[in-house]
Amino acid sequence: RDAYWWNEDVSFTTTKYSDASFRYTFKYPDADDVTAAQIAYIQHAVNDMEEAMLKSDYDRYLDVGSFAAWMLGQDILGNWDAGGSNMFFTKYDDTSHSKIKMGCLWDFDAIERPSIEGTWATVHTHPQAYFTTLFASPNKAFTDAYKAMWQELSPVVENDVMSMLNAISQSPEAAAWGETLLATDIQTASTWFHNRVIWLNEHIPLL
């Protein structure tokens, strides 16, 4: 779901959520290889998914777990970026058994900002993203999956981050940053995640 679709040779819109800012483009197949039939198929599949979201029947078409995990990752990191080119979707094949999934998390240059403290990641409430609709739906499959994932992660996420930061501080690459700068960055990150876990523990149960 690409804010820079005008750089690509092939793109398509959808009926419910597209505006001048976003169109869908292709990573695979490449624009040089994708066929007209494939474009029509995936456009139809995405339109079906969007229509189902608005009718609270979305779990027929999208992989709830991948959407919940992607959104939770954004909220843990406090990502300020709600669009850019960081929303990737996948569909394995053209069968009805293959649901649309969120792809990998991408683009981390706007995380852990002081301006996002005490609020959700921007995409959580962005009107042109899917997640406002999913959280508001009377079908609670998405929200329940999101909450269950957080319940599993919340006791360990801060310790996991600190273990990673400590490993970085002992790595051969650490000297390139300089001891003082690295210590400051680690302290900033550890404070962020400590406070973030507290905030998420307070607010996720209210969803």
Side-chain angles (χ1 to χ4, degrees):
R1 193 161 183 270
D2 196 348
Y4 304 103
W5 57 267
W6 35 266
N7 283 326
E8 304 294 333
D9 294 329
V10 177
S11 64
F12 67 85
T13 61
T14 56
T15 56
K16 299 298 181 182
Y17 284 84
S18 290
D19 62 12
S21 301
F22 294 99
R23 294 171 71 103
Y24 277 92
T25 59
F26 288 85
K27 289 296 179 184
Y28 179 83
D30 187 81
D32 292 336
D33 300 318
V34 68
T35 67
Q38 288 172 324
I39 295 169
Y41 171 78
I42 201 66
Q43 184 177 25
H44 183 73
V46 175
N47 274 321
D48 283 347
M49 179 187 72
E50 292 184 352
E51 185 73 32
M53 284 185 190
L54 299 175
K55 295 179 178 179
S56 301
D57 191 25
Y58 54 81
D59 37 351
R60 291 176 56 200
Y61 297 99
L62 66 83
D63 181 81
V64 170
S66 71
F67 275 70
W70 191 93
M71 185 65 257
L72 183 58
Q74 299 287 351
D75 277 332
I76 291 171
L77 295 169
N79 198 349
W80 178 84
D81 189 354
S85 56
N86 61 359
M87 297 182 73
F88 294 90
F89 300 81
T90 67
K91 193 173 191 300
Y92 182 73
D93 58 27
D94 61 358
T95 70
S96 60
H97 303 293
S98 168
K99 296 183 179 182
I100 294 175
K101 295 184 177 183
M102 290 299 301
C104 58
L105 290 170
W106 190 259
D107 196 356
F108 301 120
D109 61 348
I111 65 172
E112 300 176 45
R113 292 188 176 186
S115 59
I116 208 75
E117 288 182 6
T119 188
W120 302 108
T122 305
V123 73
H124 187 118
T125 55
H126 193 281
Q128 280 296 320
Y130 295 135
F131 298 96
T132 300
T133 301
L134 290 171
F135 278 118
S137 175
N139 179 349
K140 295 303 179 185
F142 168 79
T143 303
D144 289 347
Y146 173 95
K147 288 181 174 181
M149 288 179 184
W150 175 246
Q151 188 173 17
E152 180 180 350
L153 286 174
S154 60
V156 299
V157 65
E158 186 178 355
N159 287 337
D160 286 352
V161 169
M162 288 308 304
S163 295
M164 179 196 69
L165 293 173
N166 288 332
I168 291 172
S169 71
Q170 303 301 316
S171 69
E173 294 80 13
W177 286 306
E179 183 177 346
T180 301
L181 178 60
L182 182 61
T184 300
D185 287 343
I186 288 176
Q187 182 59 53
T188 299
S190 64
T191 300
W192 161 270
F193 280 101
H194 177 76
N195 292 336
R196 192 66 177 167
V197 168
I198 292 172
W199 190 87
L200 291 172
N201 276 332
E202 290 173 351
H203 288 83
I204 286 179
L206 303 178
L207 290 172

